Amino acid sequence: MLSCREVVEKVTQEPELLDEGTGSSWSMRLHLFMCHHCRRYVRQLRLMLRYLSFLPGREPAQPAEVDEVWNAIERRNEDS
Protein backbone atom coordinates (compact mmCIF):
# COMPACT_ATOMS: atom_id res chain seq x y z
CA MET A 1 0.00 0.00 0.00
CA LEU A 2 1.20 3.52 -0.74
CA SER A 3 2.15 5.93 2.02
CA CYS A 4 0.45 9.32 2.40
CA ARG A 5 3.53 11.04 1.02
CA GLU A 6 3.50 8.81 -2.07
CA VAL A 7 -0.19 9.52 -2.69
CA VAL A 8 0.38 13.27 -2.48
CA GLU A 9 3.38 13.06 -4.83
CA LYS A 10 1.48 10.94 -7.35
CA VAL A 11 -1.62 13.14 -7.56
CA THR A 12 0.50 16.31 -7.64
CA GLN A 13 2.68 15.01 -10.47
CA GLU A 14 -0.18 13.36 -12.36
CA PRO A 15 -3.37 15.42 -11.84
CA GLU A 16 -5.24 13.17 -14.29
CA LEU A 17 -5.30 10.61 -11.47
CA LEU A 18 -7.81 12.92 -9.77
CA ASP A 19 -10.40 12.31 -12.49
CA GLU A 20 -13.10 9.87 -11.50
CA GLY A 21 -12.92 6.56 -13.33
CA THR A 22 -9.26 6.78 -14.33
CA GLY A 23 -7.06 3.75 -14.10
CA SER A 24 -5.46 4.65 -10.79
CA SER A 25 -3.62 1.78 -9.18
CA TRP A 26 -5.20 -0.56 -6.69
CA SER A 27 -2.70 0.58 -4.07
CA MET A 28 -3.84 4.20 -4.59
CA ARG A 29 -7.51 3.21 -4.33
CA LEU A 30 -6.87 1.12 -1.23
CA HIS A 31 -4.98 3.92 0.45
CA LEU A 32 -7.70 6.46 -0.32
CA PHE A 33 -10.31 4.03 0.98
CA MET A 34 -8.48 3.70 4.28
CA CYS A 35 -7.05 7.21 4.81
CA HIS A 36 -9.50 10.05 5.41
CA HIS A 37 -6.67 12.62 5.39
CA CYS A 38 -5.65 11.74 1.84
CA ARG A 39 -9.28 11.57 0.71
CA ARG A 40 -9.73 15.10 2.03
CA TYR A 41 -6.52 16.26 0.30
CA VAL A 42 -7.62 14.75 -3.02
CA ARG A 43 -11.10 16.26 -2.67
CA GLN A 44 -9.64 19.72 -1.96
CA LEU A 45 -7.19 19.41 -4.84
CA ARG A 46 -10.01 18.46 -7.22
CA LEU A 47 -12.00 21.52 -6.09
CA MET A 48 -9.02 23.83 -6.51
CA LEU A 49 -8.32 22.55 -10.01
CA ARG A 50 -11.96 22.89 -10.98
CA TYR A 51 -12.37 26.44 -9.70
CA LEU A 52 -8.99 27.72 -10.90
CA SER A 53 -10.02 26.76 -14.43
CA PHE A 54 -13.09 29.05 -14.15
CA LEU A 55 -10.97 32.18 -13.77
CA PRO A 56 -11.36 34.42 -16.83
CA GLY A 57 -8.82 33.90 -19.57
CA ARG A 58 -7.22 30.95 -17.85
CA GLU A 59 -6.18 27.56 -19.08
CA PRO A 60 -6.74 24.64 -16.68
CA ALA A 61 -4.47 24.94 -13.66
CA GLN A 62 -1.06 23.34 -13.74
CA PRO A 63 0.22 21.34 -10.75
CA ALA A 64 2.76 24.07 -9.88
CA GLU A 65 -0.06 26.63 -9.65
CA VAL A 66 -2.07 24.33 -7.42
CA ASP A 67 0.96 23.83 -5.17
CA GLU A 68 1.40 27.60 -4.93
CA VAL A 69 -2.21 28.12 -3.87
CA TRP A 70 -2.07 25.17 -1.48
CA ASN A 71 1.11 26.51 0.17
CA ALA A 72 -0.51 29.92 0.62
CA ILE A 73 -3.50 28.28 2.31
CA GLU A 74 -1.22 26.29 4.61
CA ARG A 75 0.79 29.41 5.54
CA ARG A 76 -2.44 31.25 6.34
CA ASN A 77 -3.62 28.36 8.53
CA GLU A 78 -0.28 28.28 10.38
CA ASP A 79 -0.59 32.02 11.15
CA SER A 80 -4.00 31.60 12.79
Side-chain angles (χ1 to χ4, degrees):
M1 186 169 75
L2 297 173
S3 69
C4 293
R5 184 175 304 241
E6 291 170 324
V7 169
V8 169
E9 287 175 8
K10 277 182 164 281
V11 296
T12 302
Q13 292 172 0
E14 302 175 50
E16 62 273 3
L17 292 175
L18 295 172
D19 297 334
E20 296 290 337
T22 60
S24 58
S25 68
W26 280 105
S27 57
M28 171 81 80
R29 291 179 191 178
L30 178 61
H31 183 91
L32 291 174
F33 177 76
M34 296 178 70
C35 179
H36 72 278
H37 298 291
C38 287
R39 278 196 309 272
R40 182 177 7 168
Y41 174 77
V42 167
R43 185 173 52 245
Q44 290 172 344
L45 194 55
R46 278 185 185 135
L47 285 171
M48 263 199 301
L49 286 171
R50 184 181 323 152
Y51 289 112
L52 284 174
S53 67
F54 287 129
L55 293 174
R58 297 277 312 202
E59 295 293 320
Q62 297 299 311
E65 294 173 308
V66 173
D67 287 340
E68 193 174 314
V69 171
W70 186 256
N71 291 333
I73 291 169
E74 286 180 334
R75 281 192 304 272
R76 187 184 70 194
N77 287 340
E78 287 173 358
D79 292 340
S80 5

